[in-house]
Amino acid sequence: MKTSNQTVLPVGILAGVVATLLALGAMAQLSFAVVIYAASALPILIAGLGWGNRAAITAIITAGALGALMVSPPFAATMAVFTLVPAGWLSHLANLARPASEIGGPDRLLAWYPLSDILLHLCGLVTLGMIALGVVIGYGPDLTNELVDMMTTAFQAQDPSFAPDPASLEQTKQMFVLMLPMVQAGLWVLMLFAAFYIAIRVVSRSARALRPREDIPSALRMNRNALFVLLGGILLTFLGGVPAMIGATVFGAFAGGFLMAGFASLHFRSKGKDWRLPVLVLAYISSLLVLPAFLILVLGLADTRRAVALTPARDDQPENPS
């Protein structure tokens, strides 16, 4: 599907403006700041998935420039690292297609970039973004110890009888320095992929969709290579210091990907079953606890593969839309 600059540039500029407004809204509405900030990736994704790379790049440049002018260059850089660039890259990967004959498929069909590899890229981008943020803010035990002390003081202000054991408090501080990047990375992978999924649904309802809509429960799995990355992250956590913090970030991001793959596998396995709805509701609610979430994660670990979507080739559809 070919688009002219007369359409692409206005769409890209509008998407950049909306993304900036959402990021600014996250600063004003602290209660839902994380959700609103993640939603700032949505306009970039819609522009990229529907109008191609040029629209996504225009949106990223527009949002970055507006963020730098309206707030500050560091604000714009943070937006770029955590939402703008990942959204643009995901839309680029989603639009990649090549003749199926190149991978041993039938002629006159297009093979689209697998969802498993898109999710793998997302986990990697989130990992790099979190590590970059940690370097900038000087993340480490000093920072997390201060946060734990502040929380302890707040609890004591509410309940004067609250007096934590010094040994338990020290253990909490040691765990917190690894748990914080782990949870943040996993949560961010989940939220950005949710934005990607919503963007696909929005664009697929129009004639603008470059990539065909897929059955997410059957197609969304993690790449087998992600298992080695996850294992590497776990091993790094035993080294202590900076390597342990990096390992926790790697593990959190890729565990988030496997968690989503586990839920997709559960959706796929429960199709047509009478117990589907109650089990899915129970699984989502209980995943807020560690053990149920771990079981879903194991389900994702047990089913790793690359599902390639094949569609008939169109004469007006380029292999790499831009």
Side-chain angles (χ1 to χ4, degrees):
M1 183 180 297
K2 297 181 179 179
T3 54
S4 65
N5 287 332
Q6 292 180 345
T7 303
V8 169
L9 294 180
V11 168
I13 293 172
L14 179 61
V17 172
V18 174
T20 306
L21 292 176
L22 286 170
L24 293 173
M27 297 174 60
Q29 180 55 262
L30 298 180
S31 301
F32 302 96
V34 176
V35 176
I36 298 174
Y37 196 77
S40 65
L42 194 56
I44 312 297
L45 287 164
I46 291 175
L49 291 171
W51 283 264
N53 291 340
R54 285 178 295 173
I57 292 172
T58 302
I60 293 171
I61 294 173
T62 301
L66 287 175
L69 291 173
M70 298 177 68
V71 183
S72 67
F75 174 80
T78 303
M79 257 204 317
V81 169
F82 284 100
T83 58
L84 303 181
V85 172
W89 185 246
L90 291 184
S91 65
H92 165 69
L93 293 177
N95 289 336
L96 290 179
R98 59 177 174 172
S101 57
E102 294 183 6
I103 58 173
D107 296 332
R108 294 296 300 166
L109 290 181
L110 285 179
W112 295 86
Y113 201 77
L115 274 179
S116 60
D117 292 0
I118 293 175
L119 185 54
L120 181 68
H121 279 256
L122 174 59
C123 294
L125 288 171
V126 169
T127 299
L128 294 176
M130 289 293 177
I131 293 174
L133 177 63
V135 172
V136 171
I137 67 175
Y139 182 82
D142 293 339
L143 178 61
T144 55
N145 290 348
E146 184 178 348
L147 291 174
V148 173
D149 289 336
M150 290 173 60
M151 289 188 293
T152 303
T153 302
F155 287 139
Q156 289 176 334
Q158 295 179 357
D159 183 6
S161 63
F162 177 73
D165 179 65
S168 299
L169 186 61
E170 183 61 28
Q171 186 178 16
T172 300
K173 290 180 178 180
Q174 293 176 1
M175 292 179 56
F176 197 75
V177 72
L178 297 182
M179 290 300 297
L180 186 59
M182 189 183 300
V183 172
Q184 286 181 330
L187 181 63
W188 200 243
V189 167
L190 294 173
M191 300 197 73
L192 285 185
F193 190 85
F196 176 71
Y197 174 75
I198 293 171
I200 289 177
R201 294 293 298 266
V202 170
V203 176
S204 65
R205 291 181 177 274
S206 69
R208 303 272 357 145
L210 299 174
R211 182 188 181 98
R213 182 174 169 182
E214 298 174 68
D215 181 29
I216 298 295
S218 63
L220 181 60
R221 299 294 185 272
M222 280 291 276
N223 190 301
R224 290 185 178 89
N225 294 330
L227 287 169
F228 302 104
V229 182
L230 186 74
L231 178 60
I234 295 174
L235 294 176
L236 283 175
T237 59
F238 291 99
L239 299 181
V242 174
M245 291 184 286
I246 294 175
T249 306
V250 171
F251 174 79
F254 282 81
F258 279 108
L259 185 64
M260 279 192 299
F263 275 115
S265 179
L266 183 60
H267 275 267
F268 180 71
R269 294 168 187 265
S270 63
K271 277 187 176 181
K273 307 294 185 181
D274 295 336
W275 44 264
R276 173 182 172 85
L277 183 59
V279 167
L280 288 177
V281 171
L282 181 62
Y284 278 104
I285 294 176
S286 63
S287 64
L288 297 174
L289 303 175
V290 175
L291 181 58
F294 178 75
L295 295 177
I296 300 296
L297 175 64
V298 170
L299 188 59
L301 290 168
D303 189 5
T304 57
R305 54 186 171 84
R306 300 174 76 233
V308 180
L310 300 177
T311 59
R314 298 202 310 257
D315 294 334
D316 63 339
Q317 186 167 17
E319 294 181 13
N320 297 309
S322 60

